[in-house]
Amino acid sequence: MTDLWPRLERLIPRAERPARYIDHEWGATYKLEADYRYCMAYPDTYELGQANQAVRILCNVVNAQEGMAAERAFLPAAEFADTMRAEGLPAFSLESCAPLAEFDCLGITLPHELAATNVLELLDLAGIPLHAEDRADGDPLVIGGGPCAFNPEPYAPFFDVIVIGEGEDVNVELLQLHRRMRDAGASRAEIVRAIAQIPGCYAPSLYRWLPEAEAQERGSWIEPVEEGLPERFEKRLFEGFADSPTWEPCVVPFTEVVHDRLNVEILRGCTRGCRFCQAGMMYRPVRERSADNIVASVLRGLAETGYDEVSLTSLSSTDHSQIAEILRRLNEACAGKGIRISIPSQRLDSFGVEMAELVAGQKKGGLTFAPEAGTQRLRDVINKGVTEDDLFGAIDAAFAAGWRRCKLYFMIGLPTETDEDIKGIASLAQRAYDRAKKAVPPEQRGNVRMSVSCALFVPKAQTPFQWDGQITPEEALRRVDLLRRSVKYRAVDVHWHDPETSFVEAVMSRGGRECAAWVEEAWRRGARFDAWTEHFKEGAWREAADALGLDLAQVAQRTYDTGYVMPWAHVSAGVSTRWLQRERRLAQEEKTTPDCSFERCSACGVCPDLGVDIQCQEVRHG
């Protein structure tokens, strides 16, 4: 493979952060003897992508295969990408500084909707044709996966294959098949057709996109171009998660990255059932790693990386049945070493006095709690499963244990929300601030800080709220203004997300294959790094829609009956459509559904349909 380092080395002095582009970090893997080369790319800068656990997991899985090597790639920062284009330097991998176009396969994770234009930026910078139909046999196979794969259609033309679900097993199956067929001299078309038979692998080029009326009649927006192709795509699960080693090789960066710490995944899945939450649907069922596995792996990871902080990651880490034991053992083992043990996802109803004392040891930064809504009525609508008493109890415990800063996370624009719910956010935040001050000694009350962070609700595929539209950006700003005027305490800061970026997210989240042309047109008009405030170009997206005659408001804001077939109906996260429909009806009735990990099964369909044992209280909590 071509070594681009001599050319890159001359450009490095012009880079804003050179450490983004150099290799040989501690823990990096090099397999020079491999005859099959895979590159795992994150469509954003190094400091964001290097912290992504999917990149680490999938690279390690491939590197564990004989004769296969995995490398990493990240999108150069906007200014340096322009420099590379001007100098004719293509996008490259980190380990060998090789052109991405020379790899056998390029995997690109789809972490969020605002990364869509970055996918095109990466492909173009690599010299790989944007559309799968334009790629020749010598071009790498381009595969996608990740959260946005659960509505793959806005990305369909750009990928040869999109993998639905967890990649540990299916990625290896896919790459091994590709390797065998490549060695046998098969054509690109033959390879894609064969991969399409692997469960969880969707090859968009093999399916026609149907008009709306025909899609509603057929029950699917896609139709195979030939017989023998699957018409429904169930997510893949890594069934060995619970018994797999928690510790796995990880790279220690030269430069600071987001979440710059040892990250250890202790739990996968969540059955709390928040009706807005896509992650809670797509990562079901819940699977735990054992306390012995976790503790041993954390201690090994700290010893081998030199980190002084470890994060016990999952969607809801305090739901682990042995979390108190895990924290006690780690705190004892790390006592006096200046190591912080943190939990990024803390449930209000799980954060009591004992948890407050166990989390973070002597180093206490800020805490984030997510009531999501300002009134109990709306929390019942979204099935949040927490009360004001849960919040106040968590704040009492946290501030009594030494915390002095807390962020409360809410959403604006949730289905059925009224102005009273908005005012409820202000009231709840002010009362939380009062409780926090009361929980600390009088001389320290001046150090208490409370902030409110508000995101605009984005309807997500595979959730009960997928049929509900988003409020307009103008209405979102009106509600934000109402919230700001309702907060009377100067000590309570209010922050909110830009509704225009959330509008783009909603279109991408709910759109069909027609949105792919919109993404490409916006990119050609300069859209890239849309998640970065300084780079987001609202005009490029609006102009692209006008040029294509695409009604963005219709896509983002339309509310459907639950009988409407959504553009991702051919993809399943495991939860049944009937269950999603029932959950939406219960939301409208302001009724809740209990967490099946602790109470009765809610019949979502994941466990029987995906062939796993029912993940109930008896399994997880003995």
Side-chain angles (χ1 to χ4, degrees):
M1 300 182 77
T2 305
D3 183 2
L4 295 174
W5 175 250
R7 296 170 61 190
L8 175 61
E9 189 175 20
R10 293 195 295 271
L11 298 183
I12 282 289
R14 296 160 63 179
E16 180 183 5
R17 296 183 183 178
R20 289 169 167 162
Y21 310 108
I22 58 178
D23 63 345
H24 282 82
E25 311 108 306
W26 178 263
T29 300
Y30 300 87
K31 292 181 67 176
L32 301 179
E33 73 285 357
D35 69 349
Y36 185 93
R37 309 200 74 82
Y38 167 78
C39 190
M40 181 69 196
Y42 188 91
D44 213 310
T45 61
Y46 176 90
E47 56 265 38
L48 290 174
Q50 181 50 45
N52 182 266
Q53 287 184 291
V55 174
R56 180 181 73 182
I57 289 170
L58 295 181
C59 282
N60 284 338
V61 166
V62 175
N63 277 323
Q65 308 304 310
E66 185 177 352
M68 289 186 171
E71 301 189 24
R72 297 162 293 147
F74 306 96
L75 183 62
E79 296 77 9
F80 196 60
D82 292 341
T83 299
M84 290 171 59
R85 277 196 179 89
E87 298 293 334
L89 182 68
F92 52 86
S93 67
L94 208 58
E95 279 78 2
S96 62
C97 204
L100 298 188
E102 294 186 8
F103 282 81
D104 295 293
C105 182
L106 174 64
I108 305 176
T109 187
L110 303 171
H112 54 79
E113 290 84 1
L114 293 178
T117 52
N118 281 3
V119 171
L120 303 190
E121 180 79 350
L122 182 67
L123 290 172
D124 182 71
L125 194 62
I128 298 172
L130 299 185
H131 293 177
E133 64 183 10
D134 296 329
R135 294 176 195 140
D137 286 349
D139 291 315
L141 189 73
V142 180
I143 63 174
C148 291
F150 284 89
N151 176 17
E153 297 309 326
Y155 311 88
F158 314 125
F159 288 94
D160 296 295
V161 178
I162 296 177
V163 175
I164 313 298
E166 299 168 1
E168 285 95 334
D169 292 331
V170 66
N171 258 36
V172 173
E173 294 174 30
L174 187 161
L175 298 182
Q176 287 177 338
L177 176 59
H178 182 210
R179 183 188 186 188
R180 290 195 301 271
M181 295 190 71
R182 177 206 65 178
D183 292 347
S187 69
R188 186 183 197 87
E190 291 170 330
I191 291 170
V192 170
R193 196 174 295 111
I195 291 174
Q197 298 297 332
I198 298 176
C201 291
Y202 173 46
S205 65
L206 300 180
Y207 299 85
R208 287 185 289 270
W209 186 250
L210 302 176
E212 182 179 22
E214 188 176 348
Q216 296 306 308
E217 182 178 351
R218 192 174 190 275
S220 175
W221 287 76
I222 64 168
E223 182 179 59
V225 299
E226 60 187 56
E227 293 184 2
L229 291 169
E231 297 190 44
R232 184 170 173 82
F233 305 89
E234 295 276 359
K235 74 175 178 186
R236 291 293 297 270
L237 280 179
F238 175 36
E239 296 182 13
F241 175 83
D243 298 321
S244 63
T246 306
W247 163 252
E248 56 181 321
C250 67
V251 172
V252 181
F254 291 131
T255 186
E256 186 176 356
V257 299
V258 299
H259 310 306
D260 196 12
R261 59 183 75 97
L262 176 65
N263 293 301
V264 173
E265 188 180 14
I266 67 171
L267 172 72
R268 189 173 289 183
C270 176
T271 50
R272 290 284 184 165
C274 297
R275 291 169 178 143
F276 58 83
C277 182
Q278 186 185 57
M281 304 299 159
M282 70 185 187
Y283 289 117
R284 291 180 179 220
V286 172
R287 290 145 289 164
E288 288 186 350
R289 284 170 166 152
S290 71
D292 288 344
N293 186 353
I294 292 165
V295 171
S297 297
V298 167
L299 298 180
R300 179 179 175 185
L302 291 171
E304 295 194 15
T305 63
Y307 278 116
D308 62 0
E309 181 178 355
V310 58
S311 180
L312 306 180
T313 66
S314 77
L315 293 176
S316 187
S317 295
T318 50
D319 281 350
H320 194 292
S321 62
Q322 297 175 293
I323 188 62
E325 176 191 344
I326 292 166
L327 289 170
R328 278 195 296 269
R329 289 170 61 179
L330 288 176
N331 283 330
E332 290 172 4
C334 298
K337 298 179 182 179
I339 292 172
R340 178 181 176 185
I341 314 296
S342 65
I343 297 179
S345 50
Q346 290 139 354
R347 287 281 306 190
L348 288 172
D349 53 349
S350 303
F351 197 86
V353 173
E354 181 185 26
M355 195 62 60
E357 293 174 348
L358 289 172
V359 174
Q362 299 302 309
K363 296 183 178 182
K364 294 178 175 64
L367 278 175
T368 299
F369 292 125
E372 308 290 1
T375 64
Q376 192 59 47
R377 182 200 72 82
L378 192 53
R379 284 192 291 275
D380 289 345
V381 168
I382 65 177
N383 204 48
K384 183 61 182 176
V386 298
T387 65
E388 286 188 3
D389 288 342
D390 292 327
L391 172 61
F392 294 151
I395 286 175
D396 290 344
F399 281 81
W403 272 274
R404 296 296 176 263
R405 293 184 289 115
C406 182
K407 178 190 291 185
L408 301 180
Y409 182 86
F410 297 90
M411 276 190 283
I412 284 179
L414 287 162
T416 79
E417 183 181 75
T418 67
D419 282 1
E420 291 307 308
D421 297 309
I422 297 294
K423 294 175 183 177
I425 295 175
S427 172
L428 187 60
Q430 290 174 166
R431 287 179 288 135
Y433 176 73
D434 289 337
R435 293 292 290 253
K437 288 187 69 174
K438 189 178 293 186
V440 305
E443 66 275 10
Q444 295 184 24
R445 288 175 181 170
N447 297 327
V448 172
R449 297 289 182 270
M450 187 74 62
S451 65
V452 170
S453 178
C454 294
L456 181 58
F457 165 69
V458 175
K460 296 283 188 176
Q462 316 291 341
T463 70
F465 288 161
Q466 64 184 2
W467 293 283
D468 289 276
Q470 185 184 66
I471 61 174
T472 67
E474 295 77 18
E475 174 62 13
L477 290 175
R478 186 195 71 79
R479 297 188 193 188
V480 167
D481 185 60
L482 174 61
L483 172 60
R484 293 176 62 200
R485 288 186 282 108
S486 300
V487 174
K488 306 302 182 184
Y489 289 7
R490 295 181 62 183
V492 177
D493 297 321
V494 178
H495 308 273
W496 62 95
H497 294 189
D498 174 24
E500 291 296 341
T501 58
S502 296
F503 178 68
V504 172
E505 286 184 73
V507 177
M508 288 296 296
S509 179
R510 306 185 89 210
R513 198 173 292 191
E514 74 282 355
C515 286
W518 179 55
V519 171
E520 184 174 348
E521 184 64 26
W523 171 74
R524 294 191 185 280
R525 291 172 183 266
R528 59 180 177 174
F529 290 96
D530 296 292
W532 297 57
T533 302
E534 64 269 31
H535 289 296
F536 178 68
K537 295 182 178 179
E538 177 192 349
W541 290 98
R542 297 284 184 180
E543 292 165 9
D546 291 342
L548 297 169
L550 183 63
D551 186 347
L552 300 181
Q554 176 78 356
V555 179
Q557 296 157 13
R558 181 179 173 186
T559 293
Y560 302 93
D561 180 84
T562 54
Y564 186 86
V565 178
M566 302 303 283
W568 50 86
H570 49 289
V571 172
S572 173
V575 295
S576 70
T577 300
R578 180 178 297 178
W579 185 80
L580 294 175
Q581 292 168 334
R582 187 191 72 184
E583 284 297 298
R584 190 188 187 221
R585 174 176 55 78
L586 291 175
Q588 293 169 338
E589 297 172 358
E590 301 176 9
K591 295 179 180 178
T592 60
T593 298
D595 181 350
C596 64
S597 289
F598 300 91
E599 298 186 38
R600 66 182 183 276
C601 173
S602 65
C604 73
V606 165
C607 295
D609 287 354
L610 296 182
V612 297
D613 292 332
I614 300 294
Q615 300 296 300
C616 60
Q617 183 177 7
E618 288 75 14
V619 174
R620 291 182 53 212
H621 299 269

